[in-house]
Short mmCIF file of all heavy atoms in Angstrom, two decimals:
data_model
loop_
_atom_site.label_atom_id
_atom_site.label_comp_id
_atom_site.label_asym_id
_atom_site.label_seq_id
_atom_site.Cartn_x
_atom_site.Cartn_y
_atom_site.Cartn_z
N THR A 56 -5.77 -0.41 14.80
CA THR A 56 -6.43 0.75 15.34
C THR A 56 -5.51 1.88 15.54
O THR A 56 -5.84 3.06 15.26
CB THR A 56 -7.07 0.34 16.73
OG1 THR A 56 -7.94 -0.76 16.50
CG2 THR A 56 -7.84 1.51 17.31
N PHE A 308 -11.50 -0.40 3.26
CA PHE A 308 -12.14 -0.85 4.47
C PHE A 308 -11.64 -2.25 4.82
O PHE A 308 -11.29 -2.62 5.95
CB PHE A 308 -13.62 -0.79 4.34
CG PHE A 308 -14.42 -1.34 5.55
CD1 PHE A 308 -14.91 -0.48 6.51
CD2 PHE A 308 -14.62 -2.70 5.71
CE1 PHE A 308 -15.58 -0.92 7.56
CE2 PHE A 308 -15.30 -3.23 6.77
CZ PHE A 308 -15.85 -2.26 7.76
N GLY A 312 -7.84 -2.06 6.56
CA GLY A 312 -8.40 -1.98 7.96
C GLY A 312 -8.79 -3.27 8.60
O GLY A 312 -8.21 -3.78 9.57
N ALA A 313 -9.84 -3.97 7.96
CA ALA A 313 -10.37 -5.11 8.58
C ALA A 313 -9.56 -6.37 8.44
O ALA A 313 -9.29 -7.05 9.41
CB ALA A 313 -11.78 -5.33 8.04
N SER A 316 -6.41 -7.02 10.61
CA SER A 316 -6.71 -7.30 12.00
C SER A 316 -7.03 -8.72 12.30
O SER A 316 -6.85 -9.21 13.42
CB SER A 316 -7.87 -6.42 12.46
OG SER A 316 -7.55 -5.01 12.32
N GLY A 431 -12.04 4.89 4.52
CA GLY A 431 -12.34 3.41 4.44
C GLY A 431 -11.47 2.69 5.34
O GLY A 431 -11.95 1.70 6.07
N SER A 432 -10.14 2.93 5.33
CA SER A 432 -9.18 2.23 6.17
C SER A 432 -9.49 2.44 7.68
O SER A 432 -9.44 1.51 8.46
CB SER A 432 -7.78 2.71 5.91
OG SER A 432 -7.42 2.56 4.53
N ALA A 433 -9.84 3.63 8.05
CA ALA A 433 -10.11 3.92 9.46
C ALA A 433 -11.37 3.23 9.93
O ALA A 433 -11.36 2.62 11.01
CB ALA A 433 -10.31 5.45 9.65
N CYS A 434 -12.41 3.21 9.14
CA CYS A 434 -13.67 2.52 9.53
C CYS A 434 -13.43 1.00 9.64
O CYS A 434 -13.99 0.33 10.52
CB CYS A 434 -14.76 2.84 8.49
SG CYS A 434 -15.30 4.52 8.51
N GLY A 435 -12.62 0.45 8.68
CA GLY A 435 -12.37 -0.98 8.71
C GLY A 435 -11.63 -1.38 9.97
O GLY A 435 -11.85 -2.41 10.56
N ALA A 436 -10.57 -0.63 10.29
CA ALA A 436 -9.76 -0.95 11.47
C ALA A 436 -10.51 -0.80 12.78
O ALA A 436 -10.43 -1.68 13.66
CB ALA A 436 -8.54 0.02 11.56
N LEU A 437 -11.41 0.21 12.90
CA LEU A 437 -12.24 0.38 14.14
C LEU A 437 -13.22 -0.72 14.20
O LEU A 437 -13.43 -1.28 15.33
CB LEU A 437 -12.95 1.74 14.08
CG LEU A 437 -13.83 2.02 15.23
CD1 LEU A 437 -13.02 2.05 16.52
CD2 LEU A 437 -14.56 3.39 15.00
N THR A 438 -13.86 -1.09 13.16
CA THR A 438 -14.87 -2.19 13.18
C THR A 438 -14.16 -3.48 13.57
O THR A 438 -14.72 -4.24 14.45
CB THR A 438 -15.50 -2.36 11.81
OG1 THR A 438 -16.15 -1.09 11.48
CG2 THR A 438 -16.50 -3.46 11.82
N ALA A 439 -13.05 -3.77 12.99
CA ALA A 439 -12.30 -5.02 13.32
C ALA A 439 -11.85 -5.07 14.78
O ALA A 439 -11.89 -6.11 15.44
CB ALA A 439 -11.14 -5.25 12.32
N PHE A 440 -11.34 -3.92 15.28
CA PHE A 440 -10.85 -3.84 16.61
C PHE A 440 -11.97 -4.21 17.66
O PHE A 440 -11.81 -4.95 18.58
CB PHE A 440 -10.29 -2.44 16.94
CG PHE A 440 -9.85 -2.33 18.38
CD1 PHE A 440 -8.58 -2.78 18.73
CD2 PHE A 440 -10.65 -1.74 19.30
CE1 PHE A 440 -8.14 -2.58 20.02
CE2 PHE A 440 -10.22 -1.55 20.57
CZ PHE A 440 -8.95 -2.02 21.04
N LEU A 441 -13.18 -3.61 17.38
CA LEU A 441 -14.33 -3.91 18.27
C LEU A 441 -14.73 -5.34 18.21
O LEU A 441 -15.02 -5.96 19.21
CB LEU A 441 -15.47 -2.99 17.92
CG LEU A 441 -15.21 -1.42 18.15
CD1 LEU A 441 -16.41 -0.63 17.66
CD2 LEU A 441 -14.97 -1.16 19.64
N LEU A 442 -14.74 -5.91 16.98
CA LEU A 442 -15.19 -7.28 16.88
C LEU A 442 -14.16 -8.28 17.46
O LEU A 442 -14.53 -9.27 18.05
CB LEU A 442 -15.37 -7.63 15.35
CG LEU A 442 -16.54 -6.96 14.67
CD1 LEU A 442 -16.49 -7.27 13.14
CD2 LEU A 442 -17.84 -7.25 15.25
N VAL A 443 -12.90 -7.96 17.36
CA VAL A 443 -11.84 -8.86 17.80
C VAL A 443 -11.72 -8.78 19.38
O VAL A 443 -11.64 -9.79 20.01
CB VAL A 443 -10.49 -8.54 17.21
CG1 VAL A 443 -9.37 -9.26 17.91
CG2 VAL A 443 -10.56 -8.94 15.73
N ASN A 444 -11.79 -7.57 19.93
CA ASN A 444 -11.52 -7.40 21.30
C ASN A 444 -12.74 -7.26 22.29
O ASN A 444 -12.65 -7.38 23.47
CB ASN A 444 -10.61 -6.11 21.55
CG ASN A 444 -9.29 -6.32 20.89
OD1 ASN A 444 -8.38 -7.01 21.37
ND2 ASN A 444 -9.10 -5.73 19.74
N THR A 446 -15.94 -8.81 21.36
CA THR A 446 -16.90 -9.85 21.16
C THR A 446 -16.11 -11.22 21.23
O THR A 446 -14.89 -11.27 21.36
CB THR A 446 -17.53 -9.74 19.76
OG1 THR A 446 -16.61 -10.07 18.71
CG2 THR A 446 -18.09 -8.38 19.55
N PHE A 449 -14.04 -14.16 17.42
CA PHE A 449 -12.73 -14.71 17.03
C PHE A 449 -12.09 -15.24 18.33
O PHE A 449 -11.77 -14.55 19.25
CB PHE A 449 -11.84 -13.58 16.44
CG PHE A 449 -12.51 -12.88 15.20
CD1 PHE A 449 -13.21 -11.77 15.36
CD2 PHE A 449 -12.29 -13.54 14.01
CE1 PHE A 449 -13.74 -11.19 14.23
CE2 PHE A 449 -12.86 -12.93 12.88
CZ PHE A 449 -13.65 -11.75 12.98
#
Side-chain angles (χ1 to χ4, degrees):
T56 304
F308 179 96
S316 300
S432 302
C434 292
L437 179 60
T438 301
F440 179 82
L441 295 176
L442 292 177
V443 169
N444 295 285
T446 71
F449 302 96

